[in-house]
Amino acid sequence: MQVLKGFTMALENDYYGLLGLIPRLDGAVLQRAYDLAKQVCEADTMKSFPRAESLDEAYAILSQKEPKKEYDNKLAANLQAVCKYKITSEIDIEYLDKLSASLDDEWLVATKYKPVLLSLEQSLAKFSPRLAYTFRVQTLVNQSFESPEQVAKELNKLFLCSYFGTNTTVIKFAKQLLLEKQEEASLELNKVIMVMGDKLQPQVIIDQLVKDYGLSIPEQINSPGSVEVKQSGRNSVSFSSLDSLVFYLFLSLIALIFGLSLLFTPHHDGVLRDVLLTLVSLIAGGTFVALTIKIRSVNRDLKKQLKTNADSKAKSEQNEGWYKSYIASYSDHYVVGFIALIMLIAIVTNKADEKTRVTQKKNWSTVEQVKVCKVYIGKLFHKQPSIITHYRTDGNNVYVRYVRSLDNTTWSYVCNTEGNKMVWAGYLSDTKNWGRWRFEDEITLSYNNEQRLASFLMVDTQQKVTVHL
């Protein structure tokens, strides 16, 4: 079968992709996706998207039980039926945007009365645009409005299992790769699972990928084991393998380095500062808690041992001497931990000083409000701010809109800025009225006087967005 010029999906083995869906969907969802794809492709004047006959062939295969079963089996690379993963290209994204836009009117009504649908769709889009579109189609077709969270969870699981097998550890690692946009590593992980299945230990796969692609080390499969710490001529006492002077000194050294870097470089990015502050807090607090628990455990065990050996004065004195020297060896830990605590106090002080530099601006100019509103609306609806235009201002209300290229319909929104809060509402074309204010999406605006930057956190994703004013 001929592959269309510019259209990167391999048509001979991606029938689901032609319809914009993730693998293994069936029923009414396939029918609706097929109808929508036909409409979009027939309106495609640039001929960038699939031809109608390609869609017909895809639907003819997937809508019949036996041909679909045979096709799904061909997708399988091993007994786990793992499909070949493919990075979504720009032309694929454009195609999916067109498909998704064809459902905008229905989706606007659904999200008006069920706002959680929007955040669920945005969450799935982080893994795959096809996954997000599949969620939109399935929710509308099956009218799954009572438990959309369950629908999203099941589709996400189906998507991940289709490309990365069924091992929970591998799935967890695959999710991390996709969320961090580690595309090449995701492809490699998919290839490994296709070839080797679950026969290889998951941690072996993860460790190799971490090494090959320079990834941050993910959470390990197994918690650290335990070792026996023995003293010559004495009974053994069990301790965690983490219980070592070198380990605690290493943690405390990290705390010192981060603390000093924050103390003497006050212009760090706010997010980095918060991450490092949290890390230092965990190190300082965790060191004290862990050491206290360990020493109490040693104290309890050795007191029992001293009672047992009370009949031998020499042995008792020997054990007691070892106990005192063991406790004394931990004094170094407490000294370093105390220094880390001092650094933490310095960081908190520096953080307070930062508040004098990053203030909450109360009087925003119209130009500033327009810039922030465009970015805010663009992030909410996955649109580029450059296509959004400002056409009216009324007090603290800024009105913006964009024209959808698919059908030349205009989508209008209004942002209201009161002090450091911003909230939006949308224009309802069916009632010719403005909808309610979406206070569930309200954001808090921060303003950096030195750098003239406005910033806010998206409510659904907690993503920090920065706007240059």
Side-chain angles (χ1 to χ4, degrees):
M1 183 184 299
Q2 181 182 6
V3 179
L4 296 177
K5 183 179 181 181
F7 192 74
T8 59
M9 291 180 178
L11 305 188
E12 68 273 13
N13 62 7
D14 198 1
Y15 288 148
Y16 291 103
L18 285 170
L19 303 181
L21 302 175
I22 64 173
R24 318 205 189 289
L25 270 292
D26 53 23
V29 176
L30 279 174
Q31 174 70 59
R32 185 68 190 279
Y34 167 68
D35 293 338
L36 294 172
K38 287 276 285 190
Q39 295 174 16
V40 168
C41 294
E42 288 173 356
D44 177 28
T45 57
M46 301 298 293
K47 304 301 180 185
S48 301
F49 303 147
R51 296 175 180 173
E53 54 266 28
S54 300
L55 297 174
D56 293 339
E57 179 174 340
Y59 182 68
I61 296 295
L62 298 179
S63 61
Q64 301 180 65
K65 184 176 180 180
E66 290 304 319
K68 181 180 186 299
K69 182 178 179 181
E70 182 179 351
Y71 175 73
D72 285 343
N73 288 337
K74 287 182 179 180
L75 288 181
N78 59 13
L79 295 178
Q80 286 184 287
V82 177
C83 301
K84 185 176 182 181
Y85 181 71
K86 173 182 169 295
I87 297 175
T88 307
S89 68
E90 291 184 6
I91 192 69
D92 296 339
I93 292 176
E94 182 183 353
Y95 179 50
L96 289 166
D97 283 344
K98 295 288 187 182
L99 293 176
S100 186
S102 63
L103 287 171
D104 276 352
D105 291 339
E106 296 176 49
W107 196 241
L108 184 62
V109 174
T111 54
K112 175 182 177 182
Y113 294 98
K114 197 75 173 180
V116 71
L117 293 172
L118 194 58
S119 61
L120 290 172
E121 182 186 33
Q122 291 170 347
S123 297
L124 294 175
K126 295 177 183 178
F127 292 97
S128 164
R130 278 169 64 172
L131 178 58
Y133 174 65
T134 301
F135 172 70
R136 180 180 284 207
V137 176
Q138 180 158 314
T139 301
L140 292 174
V141 169
N142 297 337
Q143 297 184 336
S144 311
F145 302 118
E146 291 187 2
S147 56
E149 296 86 354
Q150 184 63 28
V151 174
K153 181 178 180 181
E154 291 175 356
L155 285 177
N156 196 18
K157 181 179 179 181
L158 176 61
F159 169 77
L160 291 169
C161 290
S162 294
Y163 295 111
F164 303 103
T166 57
N167 183 278
T168 54
T169 302
V170 174
I171 289 295
K172 185 176 181 180
F173 183 54
K175 288 173 67 175
Q176 177 184 333
L177 294 179
L178 293 173
L179 289 174
E180 294 180 359
K181 307 299 182 185
Q182 297 288 349
E183 296 178 335
E184 295 299 328
S186 301
L187 288 172
E188 181 67 17
L189 178 59
N190 170 247
K191 185 185 299 183
V192 172
I193 299 302
M194 287 176 66
V195 174
M196 308 187 72
D198 290 335
K199 303 301 181 184
L200 194 62
Q201 284 293 329
Q203 197 59 50
V204 174
I205 300 173
I206 294 173
D207 290 343
Q208 188 63 47
L209 286 173
V210 167
K211 177 182 177 182
D212 291 346
Y213 293 92
L215 307 174
S216 58
I217 300 177
E219 182 180 347
Q220 302 297 306
I221 299 173
N222 300 317
S223 59
S226 62
V227 297
E228 293 292 317
V229 179
K230 296 186 177 181
Q231 298 292 330
S232 177
R234 305 168 183 85
N235 294 335
S236 62
V237 182
S238 179
F239 295 99
S240 165
S241 60
L242 298 181
D243 183 24
S244 67
L245 177 62
V246 174
F247 180 79
Y248 283 114
L249 286 175
F250 177 72
L251 288 185
S252 299
L253 181 60
I254 292 177
L256 286 173
I257 293 173
F258 283 156
L260 290 172
S261 68
L262 288 177
L263 185 61
F264 295 107
T265 55
H267 297 289
H268 271 304
D269 179 75
V271 174
L272 176 61
R273 181 185 298 278
D274 291 340
V275 171
L276 296 181
L277 178 63
T278 301
L279 180 59
V280 173
S281 301
L282 291 174
I283 292 173
T287 299
F288 280 101
V289 171
L291 289 175
T292 300
I293 292 174
K294 296 304 176 186
I295 290 179
R296 286 176 62 88
S297 174
V298 172
N299 184 44
R300 183 174 57 251
D301 292 342
L302 287 181
K303 280 186 176 180
K304 291 180 180 178
Q305 185 173 316
L306 290 174
K307 282 185 178 181
T308 303
N309 297 329
D311 58 329
S312 173
K313 183 177 179 180
K315 188 176 289 187
S316 177
E317 290 176 349
Q318 184 185 36
N319 284 330
E320 189 171 1
W322 171 74
Y323 167 68
K324 290 179 179 178
S325 64
Y326 185 85
I327 297 299
S329 70
Y330 274 94
S331 60
D332 292 338
H333 294 63
Y334 275 110
V335 170
V336 180
F338 179 76
I339 295 175
L341 187 60
I342 295 299
M343 290 296 100
L344 178 59
I345 295 173
I347 293 168
V348 172
T349 303
N350 195 41
K351 185 70 176 177
D353 176 66
E354 181 189 21
K355 292 184 178 179
T356 65
R357 295 182 286 106
V358 180
T359 61
Q360 304 298 328
K361 184 169 181 178
K362 302 302 181 183
N363 298 315
W364 298 83
S365 69
T366 299
V367 173
E368 292 172 337
Q369 288 176 314
V370 169
K371 286 185 177 180
V372 175
C373 181
K374 286 183 178 181
V375 174
Y376 178 41
I377 294 299
K379 287 291 182 180
L380 280 173
F381 297 100
H382 307 290
K383 303 297 180 184
Q384 292 296 326
S386 58
I387 71 170
I388 303 175
T389 59
H390 167 237
Y391 68 94
R392 178 185 166 198
T393 299
D394 180 12
N396 288 327
N397 293 335
V398 172
Y399 296 81
V400 297
R401 63 190 173 193
Y402 67 87
V403 178
R404 190 167 66 190
S405 59
L406 178 65
D407 52 11
N408 289 324
T409 57
T410 300
W411 294 81
S412 301
Y413 306 92
V414 57
C415 297
N416 175 269
T417 306
E418 294 285 349
N420 64 332
K421 301 290 185 180
M422 177 175 281
V423 67
W424 72 281
Y427 186 75
L428 306 179
S429 57
D430 51 348
T431 62
K432 307 299 181 183
N433 290 312
W434 288 95
R436 65 175 180 85
W437 291 107
R438 299 299 184 93
F439 288 104
E440 66 271 16
D441 292 331
E442 185 180 67
I443 58 171
T444 300
L445 299 172
S446 297
Y447 181 76
N448 189 305
N449 289 306
E450 293 182 354
Q451 301 177 359
R452 290 190 57 78
L453 296 176
S455 60
F456 56 88
L457 293 179
M458 298 300 294
V459 175
D460 55 341
T461 64
Q462 293 302 300
Q463 175 190 6
K464 182 177 180 179
V465 180
T466 301
V467 183
H468 294 268
L469 301 177

